[in-house]
């Protein structure tokens, strides 16, 4: 990539930093350049976030219908997989899988609910009622 | 307490931490491309059954941690590396290092990294930064991918050092344990080792999913994604490929430009013109990776979508595989 071809498209990095890239000058020697962003990768990141938002919404609808416990919604909201939630909550993966069932979740002790609420950074009440915040 | 540590921005976090810490330890001539090449950083792997963030698991570089380890090893520099079970002990050890004037590399998770834009904050736990001081409750942070230095409170730093999930850092810190002069002869030798190991990694690791063979394998998979996954999910997969290639501090073109820069810098130590010619091949490979990304974007933005478009995408990767294969063959034929 030639230095003058380095894209300078607006991106989410604006106001944070710039991307350092390796580029060649007119005689083919490598040097570095800073890039604001590249529309091609901004679109890839947008798409990833679009997918995440879809999964959050889907999990929310399922939880509100009582098909699955609110845990899935909060996992999606906080971008977690089973292993990450297990790490932060201290529950085993098999326990979390059980807690995904509304029938099991609805009978969890206050103490266990608090553990989840703390990880997701919400109140126990919000946890039970599928109310997420944008932190 | 503030250590007189020079923050030099890098494309990739681990390269940057490695080169900046080594520079502090007295290796004056080290640069990001040299650290990357000596650590044999260039790689390709596609793990078909593993999913990352609901997309394909693809990497353009070697495993986290290896570049620091290999580069220090090759330059014969002793390393301290520690993980912790308790965050109190982790903080105490870090503070002792700083008080002793030793800047320290830390492995951290990105999700709670407050100075990153929200859109970049996934549960990715193999990010690296250098702590080079503490003023009251604020740690002075040199994050190589940032233009300038920044700070984290002790609570914020503790949270990212003890991030959970895949590759959980467990408070891991590391640093070269002695200041040391490195001779030109040593760097020459380290470059040779790094290139030879990279030839092995890209050409001779058995199995279809690694190195040049892995690029070919991915090319042929991509051609089938449209029928197998449907247009929408195929788009998601291609977007993930592009993000791994361009987003995660690769310096552009999935580290291929950085490797080209390394070979040019290596030429200053080994005046063999093959190195310059192969550097050009990597510039070409990087440019093709970028063209492939533009093609992929056409698909995931909905402008393209026919089977022909997927074939074109796959063909880019086949062409890249040929170029990189030839490039590494030429490197392997160098008489050092």
């Amino acid at each position: 990539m030639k230095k003058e071809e380095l894209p300078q498209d607006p991106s989410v990095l604006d106001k944070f930093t710039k991307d350092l890239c390796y580029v060649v000058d007119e005689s083919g020697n490598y040097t570095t350049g800073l890039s604001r962003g590249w529309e091609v990768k901004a679109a890839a990141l947008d798409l990833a976030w679009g997918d995440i938002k879809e999964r959050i919404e889907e999990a929310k609808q399922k939880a509100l219908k009582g098909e699955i416990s609110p845990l899935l919604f909060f996992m999606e909201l906080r971008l977690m997989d089973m292993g990450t939630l297990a790490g932060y909550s201290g529950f085993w993966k098999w326990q979390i899988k059980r807690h995904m069932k509304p029938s099991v979740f609805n009978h969890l002790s206050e103490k266990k609910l608090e553990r989840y609420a703390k990880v997701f950074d919400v109140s126990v009440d919000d946890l039970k009622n599928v109310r997420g915040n944008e932190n | 307490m503030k250590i007189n540590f020079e923050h030099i921005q890098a494309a990739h976090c681990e390269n940057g931490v490695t080169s900046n810490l080594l520079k502090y330890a007295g290796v004056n001539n080290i640069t990001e491309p040299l650290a990357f090449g000596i650590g044999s950083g260039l790689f390709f792997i596609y793990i078909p059954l593993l999913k990352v963030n609901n997309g394909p698991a693809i990497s353009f570089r070697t495993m986290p941690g290896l570049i620091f380890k290999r580069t220090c090893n090759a330059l014969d520099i002793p390393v301290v590396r520690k993980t912790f079970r308790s965050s109190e002990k982790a903080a105490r050890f870090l503070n002792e290092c700083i008080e002793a004037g030793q800047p320290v590399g830390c492995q951290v998770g990105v999700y709670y990294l407050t100075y990153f834009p929200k859109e970049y904050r996934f549960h990715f736990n193999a990010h690296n930064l250098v702590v080079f001081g503490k003023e009251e409750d604020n740690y002075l942070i040199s994050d190589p991918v940032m233009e300038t230095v920044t700070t984290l409170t002790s609570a914020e730093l503790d949270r990212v050092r003890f991030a959970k999930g895949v590759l959980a850092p467990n408070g891991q810190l590391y640093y070269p344990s002695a200041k040391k002069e490195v001779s030109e002869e040593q760097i020459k030798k380290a470059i040779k080792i790094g290139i030879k190991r990279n030839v092995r990694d890209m050409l001779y690791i058995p199995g279809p999913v690694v190195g040049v063979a892995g690029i070919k394998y991915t090319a042929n998979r991509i051609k089938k994604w449209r029928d197998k996954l449907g247009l929408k999910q195929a788009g998601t997969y291609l977007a993930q490929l592009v993000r791994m290639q361009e987003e995660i501090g690769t310096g552009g073109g999935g580290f291929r430009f950085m490797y080209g820069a390394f070979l040019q810098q290596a030429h200053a130590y080994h005046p063999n013109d093959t190195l310059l010619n192969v550097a050009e091949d990597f510039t070409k490979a990087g440019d093709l990776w970028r063209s492939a990304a533009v093609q992929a974007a056409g698909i995931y933005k909905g402008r393209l979508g026919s089977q022909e478009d997927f074939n074109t995408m796959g063909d880019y990767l086949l062409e890249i595989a040929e170029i990189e294969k030839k490039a590494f063959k030429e490197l392997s034929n160098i008489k050092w």
Side-chain angles (χ1 to χ4, degrees):
Chain A
M1 182 171 41
K2 297 206 177 73
K3 187 155 189 174
E4 65 268 19
E5 288 165 4
L6 186 62
Q8 300 292 350
D9 302 332
S11 79
V12 295
L13 287 182
D14 285 346
K15 284 185 274 172
F16 288 91
T17 186
K18 284 196 176 116
D19 234 349
L20 188 118
C21 295
Y22 284 85
V23 287
V24 290
D25 63 18
E26 50 289 353
S27 30
N29 291 324
Y30 268 99
T31 173
T32 58
L34 290 175
S35 163
R36 264 182 85 184
W38 187 25
E39 177 258 341
V40 162
K41 63 182 195 180
L45 191 60
D46 279 352
L47 187 98
W49 278 98
D51 286 346
I52 290 166
K53 289 199 171 119
E54 258 174 45
R55 284 206 304 277
I56 294 172
E57 190 51 35
E58 212 174 289
K60 183 172 194 171
Q61 294 312 323
K62 275 188 183 168
L64 291 173
K65 279 188 228 156
E67 290 169 14
I68 197 153
S69 84
L71 284 188
L72 182 67
F73 165 74
F74 284 99
M75 270 175 69
E76 298 287 10
L77 186 67
R78 298 290 183 242
L79 315 180
M80 290 179 175
D81 58 17
M82 208 61 103
T84 310
L85 180 56
Y88 279 109
S89 66
F91 290 113
W92 298 99
K93 282 192 202 174
W94 63 264
Q95 290 177 295
I96 297 172
K97 262 183 209 155
R98 264 189 83 238
H99 300 164
M100 288 280 180
K101 289 185 196 160
S103 55
V104 178
F105 182 84
N106 292 337
H107 292 96
L108 284 183
S109 69
E110 196 69 10
K111 224 173 152 182
K112 285 184 177 160
L113 288 173
E114 267 166 21
R115 261 162 82 178
Y116 280 124
K118 196 172 162 234
V119 172
F120 297 133
D121 199 16
V122 292
S123 67
V124 171
D125 194 47
D126 287 344
L127 177 70
K128 285 187 191 161
N129 292 296
V130 208
R131 280 194 302 259
N133 55 31
E134 271 298 309
N135 274 331
Chain B
M1 176 77 197
K2 182 179 175 182
I3 299 163
N4 186 15
F5 177 80
E6 192 184 1
H7 170 83
I8 300 174
Q9 191 185 4
H12 192 270
C13 63
E14 189 186 341
N15 303 337
V17 165
T18 303
S19 53
N20 289 345
L21 281 177
L22 283 177
K23 195 162 260 188
Y24 184 84
V27 189
N28 297 318
N29 299 328
I30 196 78
T31 62
E32 173 176 27
L34 276 180
F36 181 70
I38 290 172
S40 314
L42 200 76
F43 200 50
F44 186 89
I45 185 164
Y46 170 45
I47 311 171
L49 292 173
L50 186 70
K51 291 267 175 75
V52 176
N53 297 322
N54 299 297
I58 292 171
S59 180
F60 288 83
R61 68 184 289 279
T62 192
M63 260 176 36
L66 277 185
I67 289 179
F68 180 78
K69 188 175 154 193
R70 287 168 169 174
T71 306
C72 291
N73 243 339
L75 298 174
D76 201 17
I77 289 171
V79 167
V80 172
R81 187 186 288 273
K82 265 177 129 43
T83 55
F84 302 88
R85 306 207 41 188
S86 101
S87 64
E88 290 78 31
K89 278 187 188 151
R92 200 179 314 139
F93 194 91
L94 177 64
N95 292 342
E96 284 166 10
C97 288
I98 291 167
E99 273 154 35
Q102 174 63 58
V104 172
C106 287
Q107 184 192 340
V108 299
V110 167
Y111 187 74
Y112 291 109
L113 208 52
T114 40
Y115 57 77
F116 262 24
K118 181 177 167 284
E119 290 81 355
Y120 273 62
R121 285 163 55 182
F122 292 87
H123 291 278
F124 171 70
N125 285 334
H127 187 61
N128 294 276
L129 49 77
V130 173
V131 183
F132 68 100
K134 194 181 182 200
E135 285 169 353
E136 291 170 12
D137 193 43
N138 288 318
Y139 284 99
L140 309 180
I141 306 290
S142 156
D143 186 322
V145 305
M146 303 295 284
E147 268 186 286
T148 54
V149 295
T150 171
T151 59
L152 290 172
T153 65
S154 56
E156 285 167 345
L157 182 61
D158 177 66
R159 199 172 198 192
V160 294
R161 289 181 76 193
F162 284 90
K164 300 290 197 283
V166 180
L167 295 170
N170 295 315
Q172 170 151 243
L173 53 75
Y174 53 91
Y175 54 87
S177 61
K179 288 219 172 200
K180 212 173 155 187
E181 292 242 333
V182 169
S183 68
E184 200 180 311
E185 213 39 54
Q186 271 179 301
I187 294 186
K188 270 176 98 161
K189 199 174 145 219
I191 288 171
K192 194 172 94 181
I193 295 170
I195 289 178
K196 281 189 169 171
R197 186 168 42 208
N198 226 142
V199 168
R200 181 204 68 189
D201 285 358
M202 286 298 287
L203 295 182
Y204 301 122
I205 292 182
V209 300
V210 180
V212 166
I215 301 174
K216 239 182 225 170
Y217 179 83
T218 310
N220 293 322
R221 293 288 285 235
I222 286 173
K223 293 185 181 183
K224 292 178 192 150
W225 278 356
R226 187 175 181 274
D227 280 346
K228 230 181 120 206
L229 306 168
L231 209 48
K232 184 167 184 281
Q233 207 189 354
T236 301
Y237 272 41
L238 287 173
Q240 175 118 325
L241 171 76
V242 169
R243 286 177 53 219
M244 293 303 130
Q245 178 189 319
E246 299 295 332
E247 196 79 87
I248 326 291
T250 69
F255 295 100
R256 270 56 191 170
F257 296 137
M258 196 189 289
Y259 203 73
F262 160 65
L263 292 174
Q264 282 187 357
Q265 293 185 10
H267 184 263
Y269 295 89
H270 295 277
N272 181 329
D273 284 347
T274 306
L275 292 172
L276 295 183
N277 297 335
V278 178
E280 269 177 45
D281 290 338
F282 278 103
T283 307
K284 211 163 134 199
D287 285 337
L288 276 170
W289 278 112
R290 303 270 291 187
S291 303
V294 172
Q295 175 76 8
I299 295 172
Y300 56 71
K301 285 162 73 179
R303 186 167 53 78
L304 307 173
S306 68
Q307 182 55 43
E308 198 45 48
D309 296 327
F310 279 81
N311 290 345
T312 308
M313 177 72 203
D315 288 340
Y316 271 121
L317 268 68
L318 288 178
E319 196 184 342
I320 292 164
E322 278 313 308
I323 293 174
E324 294 191 6
K325 187 174 174 184
K326 183 179 144 272
F328 278 110
K329 280 260 157 77
E330 275 177 41
L331 289 178
S332 77
N333 288 334
I334 291 179
K335 303 273 175 284
W336 298 96

